[in-house]
Amino acid sequence: MMKLRSSPPSPFGRKVKLALAILGLKDQVEVVEANTADPEDSLRSQNPLGKIPALILEDG
Ligand SMILES: N[C@@H](CCC(=O)N[C@@H](CS)C(=O)NCC(=O)O)C(=O)O
């Protein structure tokens, strides 16, 4: 299953979540909370920019 790294207050993440809902893709994506302020968060290895939203495909 694909993973969406995001955070509840992120307007950019909210935009992607809305698009997933409208396109009927919600069941294909697990939302995994990310903390952009935490240097230990695995987000940094998934997106070197350390920004959200970031979509992680099934093959990583
Ligand atoms: N161009 C990006 C911008 C994403 C962005 O700036 N996200 C913010 C959170 S809403 C972020 O990751 N901030 C953390 C940082 O800049 O280190 C997009 O449109 O998705």
CSV table of all heavy atoms in Angstrom, one decimal:
chain,number,residue,atom,x,y,z
A,1,MET,N,0.8,-1.2,0.0
A,1,MET,CA,0.0,0.0,0.0
A,1,MET,C,0.9,1.3,0.0
A,1,MET,O,1.9,1.3,0.7
A,1,MET,CB,-0.9,0.0,1.2
A,1,MET,CG,-1.9,1.1,1.3
A,1,MET,SD,-2.9,1.1,2.8
A,1,MET,CE,-4.5,0.7,2.1
A,2,MET,N,0.5,2.3,-0.8
A,2,MET,CA,1.2,3.5,-0.8
A,2,MET,C,1.0,4.2,0.6
A,2,MET,O,0.0,4.0,1.3
A,2,MET,CB,0.7,4.4,-1.9
A,2,MET,CG,1.1,3.9,-3.3
A,2,MET,SD,0.6,5.1,-4.6
A,2,MET,CE,-1.2,4.7,-4.6
A,3,LYS,N,2.0,5.1,0.9
A,3,LYS,CA,1.9,5.8,2.2
A,3,LYS,C,2.1,7.3,1.9
A,3,LYS,O,2.9,7.7,1.1
A,3,LYS,CB,3.1,5.4,3.1
A,3,LYS,CG,2.9,4.0,3.7
A,3,LYS,CD,4.0,3.7,4.7
A,3,LYS,CE,3.7,2.4,5.3
A,3,LYS,NZ,4.8,1.4,5.3
A,4,LEU,N,1.2,8.1,2.5
A,4,LEU,CA,1.3,9.5,2.4
A,4,LEU,C,1.8,10.0,3.7
A,4,LEU,O,1.2,9.9,4.8
A,4,LEU,CB,-0.1,10.1,2.1
A,4,LEU,CG,-0.1,11.7,2.1
A,4,LEU,CD1,0.6,12.2,0.8
A,4,LEU,CD2,-1.6,12.2,2.1
A,5,ARG,N,3.0,10.6,3.7
A,5,ARG,CA,3.6,11.2,4.9
A,5,ARG,C,3.0,12.7,4.9
A,5,ARG,O,3.2,13.4,4.0
A,5,ARG,CB,5.1,11.3,4.8
A,5,ARG,CG,5.8,9.9,4.8
A,5,ARG,CD,5.4,9.0,5.9
A,5,ARG,NE,5.6,9.5,7.2
A,5,ARG,CZ,6.7,9.6,7.9
A,5,ARG,NH1,7.8,9.0,7.5
A,5,ARG,NH2,6.7,10.1,9.2
A,6,SER,N,2.3,13.0,6.0
A,6,SER,CA,1.7,14.3,6.1
A,6,SER,C,1.5,14.6,7.6
A,6,SER,O,2.0,13.8,8.5
A,6,SER,CB,0.4,14.3,5.4
A,6,SER,OG,-0.2,15.6,5.4
A,7,SER,N,0.9,15.7,7.9
A,7,SER,CA,0.6,16.1,9.2
A,7,SER,C,-0.8,16.8,9.2
A,7,SER,O,-1.1,17.6,8.3
A,7,SER,CB,1.7,17.1,9.7
A,7,SER,OG,1.4,17.7,10.9
A,8,PRO,N,-1.6,16.6,10.3
A,8,PRO,CA,-2.9,17.2,10.3
A,8,PRO,C,-2.9,18.7,10.0
A,8,PRO,O,-3.8,19.2,9.3
A,8,PRO,CB,-3.4,16.9,11.7
A,8,PRO,CG,-2.7,15.7,12.1
A,8,PRO,CD,-1.3,15.8,11.5
A,9,PRO,N,-2.0,19.5,10.5
A,9,PRO,CA,-2.1,21.0,10.2
A,9,PRO,C,-1.6,21.4,8.9
A,9,PRO,O,-1.8,22.6,8.5
A,9,PRO,CB,-1.3,21.6,11.3
A,9,PRO,CG,-0.6,20.6,12.1
A,9,PRO,CD,-1.0,19.3,11.5
A,10,SER,N,-1.1,20.5,8.1
A,10,SER,CA,-0.5,20.9,6.8
A,10,SER,C,-1.5,21.2,5.7
A,10,SER,O,-2.3,20.3,5.3
A,10,SER,CB,0.5,19.8,6.3
A,10,SER,OG,0.8,20.1,4.9
A,11,PRO,N,-1.6,22.4,5.2
A,11,PRO,CA,-2.6,22.7,4.1
A,11,PRO,C,-2.2,22.0,2.9
A,11,PRO,O,-3.1,21.6,2.1
A,11,PRO,CB,-2.5,24.2,4.0
A,11,PRO,CG,-1.2,24.6,4.5
A,11,PRO,CD,-0.8,23.6,5.6
A,12,PHE,N,-0.9,21.7,2.6
A,12,PHE,CA,-0.5,21.0,1.4
A,12,PHE,C,-1.0,19.5,1.5
A,12,PHE,O,-1.4,18.9,0.6
A,12,PHE,CB,1.0,21.1,1.2
A,12,PHE,CG,1.5,22.5,1.1
A,12,PHE,CD1,2.1,23.1,2.1
A,12,PHE,CD2,1.4,23.2,-0.1
A,12,PHE,CE1,2.6,24.4,2.0
A,12,PHE,CE2,1.8,24.5,-0.3
A,12,PHE,CZ,2.5,25.1,0.8
A,13,GLY,N,-0.8,19.0,2.7
A,13,GLY,CA,-1.3,17.6,2.9
A,13,GLY,C,-2.8,17.5,2.8
A,13,GLY,O,-3.3,16.5,2.3
A,14,ARG,N,-3.5,18.5,3.3
A,14,ARG,CA,-4.9,18.4,3.3
A,14,ARG,C,-5.4,18.4,1.8
A,14,ARG,O,-6.3,17.7,1.5
A,14,ARG,CB,-5.5,19.7,4.0
A,14,ARG,CG,-6.9,19.4,4.6
A,14,ARG,CD,-7.3,20.6,5.5
A,14,ARG,NE,-6.3,20.9,6.6
A,14,ARG,CZ,-5.9,22.1,6.9
A,14,ARG,NH1,-6.3,23.1,6.3
A,14,ARG,NH2,-5.0,22.2,7.9
A,15,LYS,N,-4.7,19.2,1.0
A,15,LYS,CA,-5.1,19.3,-0.4
A,15,LYS,C,-4.9,17.9,-1.1
A,15,LYS,O,-5.8,17.5,-1.8
A,15,LYS,CB,-4.1,20.3,-1.1
A,15,LYS,CG,-4.5,20.6,-2.5
A,15,LYS,CD,-3.8,21.9,-3.0
A,15,LYS,CE,-2.3,21.7,-3.1
A,15,LYS,NZ,-1.6,22.8,-3.7
A,16,VAL,N,-3.9,17.2,-0.7
A,16,VAL,CA,-3.7,15.8,-1.3
A,16,VAL,C,-4.7,14.9,-0.8
A,16,VAL,O,-5.3,14.0,-1.5
A,16,VAL,CB,-2.2,15.3,-1.0
A,16,VAL,CG1,-2.1,13.9,-1.4
A,16,VAL,CG2,-1.2,16.2,-1.7
A,17,LYS,N,-5.0,15.0,0.5
A,17,LYS,CA,-6.1,14.1,1.1
A,17,LYS,C,-7.4,14.3,0.5
A,17,LYS,O,-8.2,13.4,0.2
A,17,LYS,CB,-6.2,14.3,2.6
A,17,LYS,CG,-5.0,13.7,3.4
A,17,LYS,CD,-5.1,14.1,4.9
A,17,LYS,CE,-3.7,14.2,5.5
A,17,LYS,NZ,-3.7,14.9,6.8
A,18,LEU,N,-7.7,15.6,0.2
A,18,LEU,CA,-9.0,15.9,-0.5
A,18,LEU,C,-9.0,15.3,-1.9
A,18,LEU,O,-10.0,14.7,-2.3
A,18,LEU,CB,-9.2,17.4,-0.6
A,18,LEU,CG,-9.8,18.1,0.6
A,18,LEU,CD1,-9.7,19.6,0.4
A,18,LEU,CD2,-11.3,17.7,0.7
A,19,ALA,N,-7.9,15.4,-2.6
A,19,ALA,CA,-7.8,14.8,-4.0
A,19,ALA,C,-8.0,13.3,-3.9
A,19,ALA,O,-8.7,12.7,-4.8
A,19,ALA,CB,-6.5,15.2,-4.6
A,20,LEU,N,-7.3,12.7,-2.9
A,20,LEU,CA,-7.5,11.2,-2.8
A,20,LEU,C,-8.9,10.8,-2.6
A,20,LEU,O,-9.4,9.9,-3.2
A,20,LEU,CB,-6.6,10.7,-1.6
A,20,LEU,CG,-5.1,10.7,-1.8
A,20,LEU,CD1,-4.4,10.3,-0.5
A,20,LEU,CD2,-4.7,9.8,-2.9
A,21,ALA,N,-9.7,11.6,-1.7
A,21,ALA,CA,-11.1,11.3,-1.5
A,21,ALA,C,-11.9,11.5,-2.7
A,21,ALA,O,-12.7,10.7,-3.1
A,21,ALA,CB,-11.5,12.2,-0.3
A,22,ILE,N,-11.7,12.6,-3.4
A,22,ILE,CA,-12.5,12.9,-4.6
A,22,ILE,C,-12.3,11.9,-5.7
A,22,ILE,O,-13.2,11.5,-6.4
A,22,ILE,CB,-12.2,14.4,-5.1
A,22,ILE,CG1,-12.7,15.4,-4.1
A,22,ILE,CG2,-12.8,14.6,-6.5
A,22,ILE,CD1,-12.2,16.8,-4.2
A,23,LEU,N,-11.0,11.4,-5.8
A,23,LEU,CA,-10.7,10.5,-6.9
A,23,LEU,C,-11.0,9.0,-6.5
A,23,LEU,O,-10.7,8.1,-7.3
A,23,LEU,CB,-9.2,10.7,-7.3
A,23,LEU,CG,-8.9,12.0,-7.9
A,23,LEU,CD1,-7.4,12.2,-8.0
A,23,LEU,CD2,-9.6,12.2,-9.2
A,24,GLY,N,-11.4,8.8,-5.3
A,24,GLY,CA,-11.7,7.4,-4.8
A,24,GLY,C,-10.5,6.6,-4.6
A,24,GLY,O,-10.5,5.4,-4.7
A,25,LEU,N,-9.4,7.3,-4.2
A,25,LEU,CA,-8.1,6.5,-4.0
A,25,LEU,C,-7.8,6.4,-2.5
A,25,LEU,O,-6.7,5.9,-2.2
A,25,LEU,CB,-7.0,7.3,-4.7
A,25,LEU,CG,-7.1,7.4,-6.2
A,25,LEU,CD1,-6.1,8.4,-6.8
A,25,LEU,CD2,-7.0,6.0,-6.9
A,26,LYS,N,-8.7,6.8,-1.6
A,26,LYS,CA,-8.3,6.7,-0.2
A,26,LYS,C,-7.9,5.4,0.3
A,26,LYS,O,-7.0,5.3,1.2
A,26,LYS,CB,-9.5,7.2,0.6
A,26,LYS,CG,-9.5,8.7,1.0
A,26,LYS,CD,-10.8,9.1,1.6
A,26,LYS,CE,-10.8,8.7,3.1
A,26,LYS,NZ,-12.0,9.3,3.8
A,27,ASP,N,-8.6,4.3,-0.2
A,27,ASP,CA,-8.3,3.0,0.2
A,27,ASP,C,-6.9,2.5,-0.2
A,27,ASP,O,-6.4,1.4,0.2
A,27,ASP,CB,-9.3,2.0,-0.3
A,27,ASP,CG,-10.7,2.3,0.3
A,27,ASP,OD1,-10.7,3.0,1.3
A,27,ASP,OD2,-11.7,1.7,-0.2
A,28,GLN,N,-6.3,3.2,-1.1
A,28,GLN,CA,-5.0,2.7,-1.7
A,28,GLN,C,-3.8,3.4,-1.0
A,28,GLN,O,-2.6,3.1,-1.3
A,28,GLN,CB,-4.9,3.0,-3.2
A,28,GLN,CG,-5.9,2.2,-4.0
A,28,GLN,CD,-5.8,2.5,-5.4
A,28,GLN,OE1,-4.7,2.7,-6.0
A,28,GLN,NE2,-6.9,2.7,-6.1
A,29,VAL,N,-4.1,4.4,-0.1
A,29,VAL,CA,-3.1,5.2,0.6
A,29,VAL,C,-3.3,5.2,2.1
A,29,VAL,O,-4.3,5.6,2.6
A,29,VAL,CB,-3.0,6.6,0.0
A,29,VAL,CG1,-1.9,7.4,0.6
A,29,VAL,CG2,-2.9,6.6,-1.5
A,30,GLU,N,-2.2,4.8,2.8
A,30,GLU,CA,-2.2,4.9,4.3
A,30,GLU,C,-1.6,6.3,4.6
A,30,GLU,O,-0.5,6.5,4.2
A,30,GLU,CB,-1.5,3.8,4.9
A,30,GLU,CG,-1.3,3.8,6.4
A,30,GLU,CD,-0.3,2.8,6.9
A,30,GLU,OE1,0.3,2.0,6.1
A,30,GLU,OE2,-0.1,2.8,8.2
A,31,VAL,N,-2.2,7.0,5.5
A,31,VAL,CA,-1.7,8.3,5.9
A,31,VAL,C,-0.8,8.1,7.1
A,31,VAL,O,-1.3,7.5,8.1
A,31,VAL,CB,-2.8,9.4,6.2
A,31,VAL,CG1,-2.1,10.7,6.7
A,31,VAL,CG2,-3.6,9.6,4.9
A,32,VAL,N,0.5,8.4,7.1
A,32,VAL,CA,1.4,8.2,8.2
A,32,VAL,C,1.9,9.6,8.6
A,32,VAL,O,2.5,10.3,7.8
A,32,VAL,CB,2.6,7.3,7.8
A,32,VAL,CG1,3.5,7.1,8.9
A,32,VAL,CG2,2.1,6.0,7.2
A,33,GLU,N,1.6,9.9,9.9
A,33,GLU,CA,1.9,11.2,10.4
A,33,GLU,C,3.5,11.5,10.4
A,33,GLU,O,4.2,10.5,10.7
A,33,GLU,CB,1.4,11.4,11.8
A,33,GLU,CG,1.2,12.9,12.1
A,33,GLU,CD,0.3,13.1,13.3
A,33,GLU,OE1,-0.8,12.4,13.4
A,33,GLU,OE2,0.7,13.9,14.2
A,34,ALA,N,3.8,12.7,10.0
A,34,ALA,CA,5.3,13.0,9.9
A,34,ALA,C,5.5,14.3,10.8
A,34,ALA,O,4.6,15.1,10.9
A,34,ALA,CB,5.7,13.3,8.5
A,35,ASN,N,6.7,14.4,11.3
A,35,ASN,CA,7.0,15.6,12.1
A,35,ASN,C,8.2,16.2,11.4
A,35,ASN,O,9.4,15.7,11.5
A,35,ASN,CB,7.4,15.2,13.5
A,35,ASN,CG,7.8,16.4,14.4
A,35,ASN,OD1,7.9,17.5,13.9
A,35,ASN,ND2,8.0,16.2,15.7
A,36,THR,N,8.0,17.3,10.7
A,36,THR,CA,9.0,17.9,9.9
A,36,THR,C,10.1,18.6,10.7
A,36,THR,O,11.2,18.8,10.3
A,36,THR,CB,8.5,19.0,8.9
A,36,THR,OG1,7.7,19.9,9.7
A,36,THR,CG2,7.5,18.3,7.9
A,37,ALA,N,9.8,18.8,12.0
A,37,ALA,CA,10.7,19.4,12.9
A,37,ALA,C,11.7,18.4,13.6
A,37,ALA,O,12.6,18.8,14.3
A,37,ALA,CB,10.0,20.2,14.0
A,38,ASP,N,11.4,17.1,13.4
A,38,ASP,CA,12.2,16.1,14.1
A,38,ASP,C,13.2,15.5,13.1
A,38,ASP,O,12.9,14.8,12.1
A,38,ASP,CB,11.2,14.9,14.5
A,38,ASP,CG,12.0,13.8,15.2
A,38,ASP,OD1,13.2,13.9,15.4
A,38,ASP,OD2,11.3,12.8,15.6
A,39,PRO,N,14.5,15.8,13.3
A,39,PRO,CA,15.5,15.2,12.4
A,39,PRO,C,15.6,13.7,12.4
A,39,PRO,O,16.2,13.2,11.5
A,39,PRO,CB,16.8,15.9,12.9
A,39,PRO,CG,16.5,16.4,14.3
A,39,PRO,CD,15.0,16.6,14.4
A,40,GLU,N,15.1,13.1,13.4
A,40,GLU,CA,15.1,11.6,13.5
A,40,GLU,C,13.9,11.0,12.7
A,40,GLU,O,13.9,9.7,12.6
A,40,GLU,CB,15.1,11.1,14.9
A,40,GLU,CG,16.2,11.6,15.8
A,40,GLU,CD,17.6,11.2,15.2
A,40,GLU,OE1,17.7,10.0,14.8
A,40,GLU,OE2,18.5,12.0,15.2
A,41,ASP,N,13.0,11.8,12.3
A,41,ASP,CA,11.8,11.2,11.6
A,41,ASP,C,12.3,10.6,10.3
A,41,ASP,O,13.1,11.2,9.6
A,41,ASP,CB,10.8,12.3,11.3
A,41,ASP,CG,9.4,11.8,10.9
A,41,ASP,OD1,9.4,11.1,9.9
A,41,ASP,OD2,8.4,12.2,11.5
A,42,SER,N,11.7,9.4,10.0
A,42,SER,CA,12.1,8.7,8.7
A,42,SER,C,11.8,9.5,7.5
A,42,SER,O,12.2,9.1,6.4
A,42,SER,CB,11.5,7.3,8.7
A,42,SER,OG,10.1,7.4,8.7
A,43,LEU,N,11.0,10.5,7.6
A,43,LEU,CA,10.6,11.4,6.5
A,43,LEU,C,11.9,11.8,5.7
A,43,LEU,O,11.9,11.9,4.5
A,43,LEU,CB,9.8,12.6,7.0
A,43,LEU,CG,9.6,13.7,6.0
A,43,LEU,CD1,8.6,13.2,4.9
A,43,LEU,CD2,9.0,15.0,6.6
A,44,ARG,N,12.9,12.1,6.5
A,44,ARG,CA,14.2,12.7,5.8
A,44,ARG,C,14.8,11.7,4.9
A,44,ARG,O,15.5,12.1,3.9
A,44,ARG,CB,15.1,13.1,6.9
A,44,ARG,CG,14.5,14.1,7.9
A,44,ARG,CD,15.3,15.3,8.2
A,44,ARG,NE,14.4,16.2,8.9
A,44,ARG,CZ,14.5,17.5,8.8
A,44,ARG,NH1,15.3,18.0,8.0
A,44,ARG,NH2,13.6,18.3,9.5
A,45,SER,N,14.6,10.4,5.2
A,45,SER,CA,15.2,9.4,4.2
A,45,SER,C,14.2,9.1,3.1
A,45,SER,O,14.6,8.7,2.0
A,45,SER,CB,15.5,8.1,5.0
A,45,SER,OG,14.3,7.5,5.5
A,46,GLN,N,13.0,9.5,3.3
A,46,GLN,CA,12.0,9.3,2.2
A,46,GLN,C,11.9,10.5,1.3
A,46,GLN,O,11.7,10.4,0.1
A,46,GLN,CB,10.6,9.0,2.8
A,46,GLN,CG,10.6,7.7,3.6
A,46,GLN,CD,9.4,7.6,4.5
A,46,GLN,OE1,8.9,8.6,5.1
A,46,GLN,NE2,8.9,6.4,4.7
A,47,ASN,N,12.1,11.7,1.9
A,47,ASN,CA,12.1,12.9,1.1
A,47,ASN,C,13.3,13.8,1.6
A,47,ASN,O,13.2,14.4,2.7
A,47,ASN,CB,10.8,13.7,1.2
A,47,ASN,CG,10.9,15.0,0.4
A,47,ASN,OD1,11.8,15.3,-0.3
A,47,ASN,ND2,9.8,15.8,0.6
A,48,PRO,N,14.4,13.8,0.9
A,48,PRO,CA,15.6,14.5,1.3
A,48,PRO,C,15.3,16.0,1.6
A,48,PRO,O,16.0,16.6,2.4
A,48,PRO,CB,16.6,14.4,0.2
A,48,PRO,CG,16.1,13.1,-0.5
A,48,PRO,CD,14.6,13.1,-0.4
A,49,LEU,N,14.2,16.6,1.1
A,49,LEU,CA,13.9,18.0,1.4
A,49,LEU,C,13.3,18.1,2.8
A,49,LEU,O,13.2,19.2,3.3
A,49,LEU,CB,12.9,18.5,0.3
A,49,LEU,CG,13.4,18.6,-1.1
A,49,LEU,CD1,12.3,19.0,-2.0
A,49,LEU,CD2,14.6,19.6,-1.2
A,50,GLY,N,12.8,16.9,3.3
A,50,GLY,CA,12.2,16.9,4.6
A,50,GLY,C,10.8,17.6,4.6
A,50,GLY,O,10.3,18.0,5.7
A,51,LYS,N,10.2,17.7,3.5
A,51,LYS,CA,8.9,18.4,3.4
A,51,LYS,C,7.8,17.4,3.2
A,51,LYS,O,8.0,16.3,2.7
A,51,LYS,CB,8.9,19.3,2.2
A,51,LYS,CG,9.8,20.6,2.4
A,51,LYS,CD,9.6,21.6,1.4
A,51,LYS,CE,10.5,22.8,1.7
A,51,LYS,NZ,9.7,23.9,2.2
A,52,ILE,N,6.6,17.8,3.6
A,52,ILE,CA,5.4,17.1,3.4
A,52,ILE,C,4.4,17.9,2.6
A,52,ILE,O,4.6,19.2,2.6
A,52,ILE,CB,4.7,16.7,4.8
A,52,ILE,CG1,4.5,18.0,5.6
A,52,ILE,CG2,5.5,15.7,5.5
A,52,ILE,CD1,3.6,17.7,6.8
A,53,PRO,N,3.5,17.3,1.9
A,53,PRO,CA,3.3,15.9,1.8
A,53,PRO,C,4.3,15.2,0.9
A,53,PRO,O,4.9,15.8,0.0
A,53,PRO,CB,1.9,15.8,1.1
A,53,PRO,CG,1.8,17.1,0.2
A,53,PRO,CD,2.6,18.1,1.0
A,54,ALA,N,4.5,13.9,1.2
A,54,ALA,CA,5.4,13.0,0.4
A,54,ALA,C,4.7,11.7,0.3
A,54,ALA,O,4.3,11.1,1.2
A,54,ALA,CB,6.8,12.8,1.1
A,55,LEU,N,4.6,11.3,-1.0
A,55,LEU,CA,3.9,10.0,-1.3
A,55,LEU,C,5.0,8.9,-1.5
A,55,LEU,O,5.9,9.1,-2.3
A,55,LEU,CB,3.1,10.1,-2.5
A,55,LEU,CG,2.3,8.8,-2.9
A,55,LEU,CD1,1.2,8.6,-1.9
A,55,LEU,CD2,1.7,9.0,-4.3
A,56,ILE,N,4.9,7.8,-0.7
A,56,ILE,CA,5.9,6.8,-0.8
A,56,ILE,C,5.2,5.6,-1.5
A,56,ILE,O,4.1,5.1,-1.1
A,56,ILE,CB,6.3,6.2,0.6
A,56,ILE,CG1,6.6,7.4,1.6
A,56,ILE,CG2,7.4,5.3,0.5
A,56,ILE,CD1,7.6,8.4,1.1
A,57,LEU,N,5.7,5.3,-2.7
A,57,LEU,CA,5.1,4.2,-3.5
A,57,LEU,C,5.4,2.8,-2.8
A,57,LEU,O,6.2,2.7,-1.9
A,57,LEU,CB,5.7,4.3,-4.9
A,57,LEU,CG,5.6,5.6,-5.6
A,57,LEU,CD1,6.1,5.5,-7.0
A,57,LEU,CD2,4.1,6.0,-5.7
A,58,GLU,N,4.7,1.8,-3.3
A,58,GLU,CA,4.8,0.5,-2.8
A,58,GLU,C,6.2,-0.1,-2.8
A,58,GLU,O,6.6,-0.8,-2.0
A,58,GLU,CB,3.8,-0.5,-3.4
A,58,GLU,CG,2.4,-0.2,-3.0
A,58,GLU,CD,1.3,-1.0,-3.7
A,58,GLU,OE1,1.7,-1.8,-4.6
A,58,GLU,OE2,0.2,-0.9,-3.3
A,59,ASP,N,6.9,0.3,-3.8
A,59,ASP,CA,8.3,-0.2,-4.0
A,59,ASP,C,9.3,0.7,-3.2
A,59,ASP,O,10.5,0.5,-3.4
A,59,ASP,CB,8.7,-0.4,-5.5
A,59,ASP,CG,8.7,0.9,-6.2
A,59,ASP,OD1,8.5,2.0,-5.6
A,59,ASP,OD2,9.0,0.9,-7.4
A,60,GLY,N,8.8,1.6,-2.5
A,60,GLY,CA,9.7,2.5,-1.7
A,60,GLY,C,10.1,3.7,-2.4
A,60,GLY,O,10.8,4.6,-1.8
B,1,LIG,N1,5.9,22.8,-2.6
B,1,LIG,C1,5.4,21.9,-1.6
B,1,LIG,C2,5.5,22.6,-0.3
B,1,LIG,C3,5.3,21.7,0.9
B,1,LIG,C4,5.6,22.4,2.2
B,1,LIG,O1,6.2,23.5,2.3
B,1,LIG,N2,5.2,21.7,3.3
B,1,LIG,C5,5.5,22.2,4.6
B,1,LIG,C6,4.4,21.8,5.6
B,1,LIG,S1,2.8,22.5,5.2
B,1,LIG,C7,6.7,21.6,5.1
B,1,LIG,O2,7.0,20.5,4.8
B,1,LIG,N3,7.5,22.3,6.0
B,1,LIG,C8,8.7,21.8,6.6
B,1,LIG,C9,9.9,22.4,6.1
B,1,LIG,O3,9.9,23.3,5.2
B,1,LIG,O4,11.0,22.0,6.6
B,1,LIG,C10,4.0,21.4,-1.9
B,1,LIG,O5,3.3,22.2,-2.6
B,1,LIG,O6,3.7,20.3,-1.5
